[in-house]
Amino acid sequence: MRTSMEPYRRAGVSGLLCSLPLLCVLLDIQLDGVLGATQAEIEHHLEMGRKLLAAGQLAEALSHYHSAVEGDSRNYLTYYKRAAVFLALGKSKSALPDLTRAIELKPDFLAARLQRGNILLKQGNTEEAREDFESVLDRSPEHEEAREQLMKASELESLQEEAYAAHHQGDYSATIAVLERAIEISPWDPDLLRAECYLSRLHYSLGQHHESLNHVRECLKLDQDDKDCFSLYKQVKKLSKQLDSAEELILEERYQDAIDKYESVMKTEPNVPLYTNLAKERICFCLVKLNLAGEAIDVCSEAHQRDPRNAKILRDRAEAYILNQDYEKAVEDYQEAREFDGDSNDIKEGLERAHKLLKISQKRDYYKILGVGRNANKQEIIKAYRKLAQQWHPDNFQSEAEKKEAEKKFIDIASAKEVLTNPEMRQKFDSGEDPLDPENQQGGGGGQRPWPFHFNPFDSGGSFHFKFEYN
């Protein structure tokens, strides 16, 4: 029969009630079941907790560890094991008191100190985390993990100062890089919600909409009801969807639809210049693809003013100038684009082609001869040819000088029609090569270019008539 009074003192039972031995015995028997489990029951809970934890049944394991702690509140290992389950469940805040209690019961329990220091560091509490790591190193100077974590604590403090300085200087890219590293070290920091939302805004202001969306989603994971994060999320999601959709339309060669989508982008976000710059750049590109030379030049020029070092804009405006048969300006734009992106094959090839076209235009430009644009179709070319051929037919002129001038123009008109209605020859000309230039004929120069007629009307003198090839 037990005579110890400890169970009653723990239960708050008055010593007066226990003045009679029989009453003490009765109370002892009754309270034995109330005050806690037997050692065997505690061991059972611990063993079940261990097995369930190993099996990944965390909630059930936690229930057994609760019972074990209630049964023996003086066992430091029981608290430590329950803390491990809390951590496995992602409940670091709940694990922290158990680790603190384990350390109180056993101050030299290094594993608990190290684990608590890790949690404190992830919560951004560098001062208290440092104390735990230093305590471990005092007792175990060669402890590698404690030394590494102590260095991270110092790094986190430095990163916080660096982020503040970068932001104060307006260097948002550097601020982002520093804060992202700080979040890696301290992902459970109570200020993380603000940090994620702030990072999202920084990425957004730099035109990095995908990165912004990722961070604002992390922000909402931490607090779904945060109004600032949710408002930012709606804005970023809408804009990001429009931008992605516009690029998909370009890939599908639906250039007018892409232009409309980028017009919507500028309406959705009129206050961040980078998104307007991007929209203007891509609209410039689409207008070139649509062969709308005049509009393309206007939009590309505006985009160039907004972003003068953007090689893509200069490349696209050069192509618009080529469409407009302004080859000198095309060469100038390609040369400037090369200064900003000297490794681009597109720019190198474009500059070479612009030089060739400029050289050819100084000799003979078939588009200008017929008075048609570079995007003219076959029917438009034939129509222009017929009109000019009738106008410059040598039979329409009386004097010998006029006839010779008409003959020259007539040959050029017929040559232009031959080249521009032949897909292969036209492609060569558009690439900067005159397919009727004797220098470009096989075997080099010296030969005469072939006549675009059934016969040469100028080889016999006297009266002659022309036979046109209209098709």
Side-chain angles (χ1 to χ4, degrees), residues 272-464:
V272 179
L274 285 170
Y275 294 110
T276 300
N277 293 355
L278 174 62
K280 293 291 184 181
E281 173 195 328
R282 300 306 278 160
I283 291 173
C284 157
F285 172 82
C286 291
L287 289 170
V288 172
K289 290 296 184 181
L290 290 171
N291 294 322
L292 299 174
E295 292 180 51
I297 291 171
D298 290 341
V299 174
C300 293
S301 296
E302 181 184 353
H304 177 57
Q305 288 181 343
R306 300 178 68 94
D307 191 2
R309 300 179 64 85
N310 191 319
K312 293 180 181 178
I313 294 173
L314 287 163
R315 176 203 65 193
D316 293 337
R317 189 172 70 172
E319 289 299 312
Y321 280 134
I322 288 175
L323 286 173
N324 208 42
Q325 303 179 44
D326 194 341
Y327 306 118
E328 288 186 9
K329 289 184 178 179
V331 169
E332 290 174 2
D333 271 359
Y334 266 124
Q335 287 175 332
E336 188 176 352
R338 187 176 58 179
E339 294 177 8
F340 302 128
D341 189 0
D343 297 328
S344 170
N345 288 329
D346 285 347
I347 291 174
K348 290 178 182 177
E349 293 171 2
L351 179 58
E352 182 180 351
R353 182 163 49 85
H355 272 303
K356 286 183 179 180
L357 289 170
L358 176 59
K359 183 179 178 181
I360 290 174
S361 70
Q362 292 169 344
K363 295 181 179 178
R364 181 169 49 185
D365 187 329
Y366 296 123
Y367 290 104
K368 286 186 176 180
I369 288 171
L370 293 182
V372 298
R374 296 187 71 87
N375 59 337
N377 59 37
K378 185 174 181 179
Q379 289 72 24
E380 291 170 333
I381 291 168
I382 292 175
K383 181 179 179 181
Y385 162 71
R386 287 174 175 172
K387 180 178 178 181
L388 291 171
Q390 291 173 355
Q391 177 183 346
W392 289 99
H393 194 294
D395 289 347
N396 295 334
F397 300 89
Q398 300 299 320
S399 71
E400 197 65 29
E402 288 178 337
K403 280 185 178 292
K404 286 191 175 184
E405 179 65 20
E407 288 171 6
K408 182 178 180 299
K409 286 187 176 292
F410 193 85
I411 291 173
D412 285 342
I413 292 165
S415 298
K417 179 258 184 184
E418 178 190 11
V419 170
L420 298 183
T421 56
N422 182 304
E424 184 178 350
M425 296 175 75
R426 183 174 181 177
Q427 184 179 6
K428 285 184 178 181
F429 183 73
D430 287 343
S431 298
E433 175 184 343
D434 186 347
L436 299 184
D437 190 331
E439 295 180 0
N440 294 326
Q441 303 300 317
Q442 291 184 351
Q448 295 292 323
R449 62 178 175 83
W451 282 95
F453 313 104
H454 289 295
F455 61 94
N456 183 345
F458 306 118
D459 61 357
S460 59
S463 62
F464 44 76

Side-chain angles (χ1 to χ4, degrees), residues 49-284:
R50 184 190 66 79
K51 289 182 178 179
L52 290 166
L53 179 59
Q57 297 175 260
L58 302 180
E60 293 83 352
L62 185 61
S63 178
H64 281 284
Y65 280 119
H66 282 326
S67 298
V69 168
E70 291 171 0
D72 185 0
S73 61
R74 304 293 298 176
N75 189 332
Y76 71 94
L77 278 175
T78 306
Y79 285 102
Y80 182 73
K81 291 176 181 177
R82 187 170 70 172
V85 181
F86 277 129
L87 287 174
L89 287 166
K91 298 180 178 181
S92 60
K93 289 183 179 180
S94 298
L96 203 55
D98 275 359
L99 291 170
T100 299
R101 180 59 178 154
I103 293 169
E104 289 173 353
L105 293 170
K106 188 174 175 56
D108 62 346
F109 190 10
L110 300 188
R113 280 196 178 276
L114 182 64
Q115 191 65 271
R116 186 175 70 173
N118 288 339
I119 294 174
L120 290 168
L121 178 60
K122 289 183 177 180
Q123 290 180 343
N125 191 338
T126 56
E127 185 175 349
E128 292 185 24
R130 185 186 299 277
E131 291 176 3
D132 274 340
F133 298 139
E134 289 175 344
S135 180
V136 172
L137 290 170
D138 286 342
R139 292 179 173 83
S140 179
E142 303 301 321
H143 201 293
E144 186 175 346
E145 184 179 353
R147 183 178 292 104
E148 290 177 355
Q149 294 300 88
L150 184 59
M151 291 175 63
K152 283 186 178 181
S154 298
E155 182 185 359
L156 181 58
E157 291 171 345
S158 298
L159 288 170
Q160 291 168 344
E161 294 177 2
E162 190 177 342
Y164 176 80
H167 182 265
H168 183 69
Q169 294 170 2
D171 189 347
Y172 297 143
S173 295
T175 305
I176 288 172
V178 174
L179 283 178
E180 286 180 339
R181 173 58 183 153
I183 288 175
E184 287 178 10
I185 298 174
S186 179
W188 300 340
D189 191 327
D191 291 333
L192 179 60
L193 179 65
R194 286 190 299 134
E196 289 288 2
C197 194
Y198 180 64
L199 278 174
S200 177
R201 292 187 185 280
L202 285 179
H203 279 294
Y204 185 76
S205 67
L206 291 173
Q208 301 164 353
H209 58 99
H210 286 139
E211 292 84 351
S212 176
L213 191 58
N214 290 336
H215 279 288
V216 78
R217 281 172 173 161
E218 289 299 319
C219 173
L220 289 175
K221 285 181 184 177
L222 296 168
D223 185 356
Q224 296 180 353
D225 298 324
D226 187 272
K227 292 182 179 179
D228 289 339
C229 273
F230 187 69
S231 175
L232 179 61
Y233 170 71
K234 290 194 298 182
Q235 173 73 5
V236 177
K237 184 180 178 182
K238 179 180 180 180
L239 184 72
S240 187
K241 185 177 180 181
Q242 288 176 331
L243 289 167
D244 290 344
S245 176
E247 286 304 304
E248 288 175 6
L249 290 168
I250 289 177
L251 288 175
E252 295 170 4
E253 299 184 357
R254 296 167 58 188
Y255 298 117
Q256 185 58 55
D257 291 336
I259 290 173
D260 296 340
K261 188 63 69 175
Y262 272 116
E263 294 285 353
S264 299
V265 165
M266 290 188 286
K267 292 178 182 178
T268 298
E269 183 46 85
N271 300 318
V272 179
L274 285 170
Y275 294 110
T276 300
N277 293 355
L278 174 62
K280 293 291 184 181
E281 173 195 328
R282 300 306 278 160
I283 291 173
C284 157

